[in-house]
């Protein structure tokens, strides 16, 4: 997985472009979080496929996954708030940028 790339321009940007960039950054963060959740799912699959594993080890792996999912959930709420700020406070379809 490669790092997301956001291009920048040496010239001042319009309000419309700034809004587009903000929405793009939110989308890139969402993509990164989906990769994190996918990795956590793979972790669970790997643990459950191991031959000699104790219940304690399974529960420990489950706890780490639950902690990560909780963290991702918190970040999702933050991203939702950012998106609401952009769409409710900054984006006015009737304006020309």
């Amino acid at each position: 997985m490669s790092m997301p790339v956001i291009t920048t321009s040496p010239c001042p940007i319009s309000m419309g472009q700034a809004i587009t960039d903000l929405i793009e950054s939110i989308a890139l963060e969402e993509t990164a979080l989906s990769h994190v959740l996918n990795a956590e799912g793979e972790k669970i699959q790997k643990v459950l496929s191991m031959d000699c594993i104790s219940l304690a080890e399974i529960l420990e792996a489950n706890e780490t996954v639950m902690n990560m999912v909780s963290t991702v959930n918190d970040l999702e709420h933050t991203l939702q708030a950012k998106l609401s700020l952009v769409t409710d406070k900054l984006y006015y379809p009737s304006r020309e940028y």
Side-chain angles (χ1 to χ4, degrees), residues 29-40 64-80:
E29 289 180 69
E30 290 286 351
T31 301
L33 291 177
S34 73
H35 287 288
V36 169
L37 290 175
N38 185 58
E40 293 301 307
T64 65
V65 170
M66 285 181 9
N67 289 340
M68 184 58 70
V69 170
S70 177
T71 300
V72 168
N73 184 50
D74 293 344
L75 291 170
E76 285 287 344
H77 287 289
T78 302
L79 290 176
Q80 178 61 44

Side-chain angles (χ1 to χ4, degrees), residues 54-65:
S54 68
L55 179 59
E57 291 170 319
I58 292 172
L59 292 174
E60 182 180 341
N62 186 62
E63 184 176 349
T64 65
V65 170

Side-chain angles (χ1 to χ4, degrees), residues 2-69:
S2 62
M3 293 297 294
V5 176
I6 299 176
T7 58
T8 58
S9 172
C11 303
I13 61 172
S14 67
M15 178 68 136
Q17 185 60 50
I19 291 169
T20 300
D21 290 347
L22 286 168
I23 293 171
E24 181 182 5
S25 74
I26 292 167
L28 290 170
E29 289 180 69
E30 290 286 351
T31 301
L33 291 177
S34 73
H35 287 288
V36 169
L37 290 175
N38 185 58
E40 293 301 307
E42 289 178 4
K43 182 193 299 184
I44 291 284
Q45 288 176 345
K46 178 68 175 176
V47 167
L48 293 177
S49 70
M50 297 171 72
D51 290 332
C52 299
I53 187 162
S54 68
L55 179 59
E57 291 170 319
I58 292 172
L59 292 174
E60 182 180 341
N62 186 62
E63 184 176 349
T64 65
V65 170
M66 285 181 9
N67 289 340
M68 184 58 70
V69 170

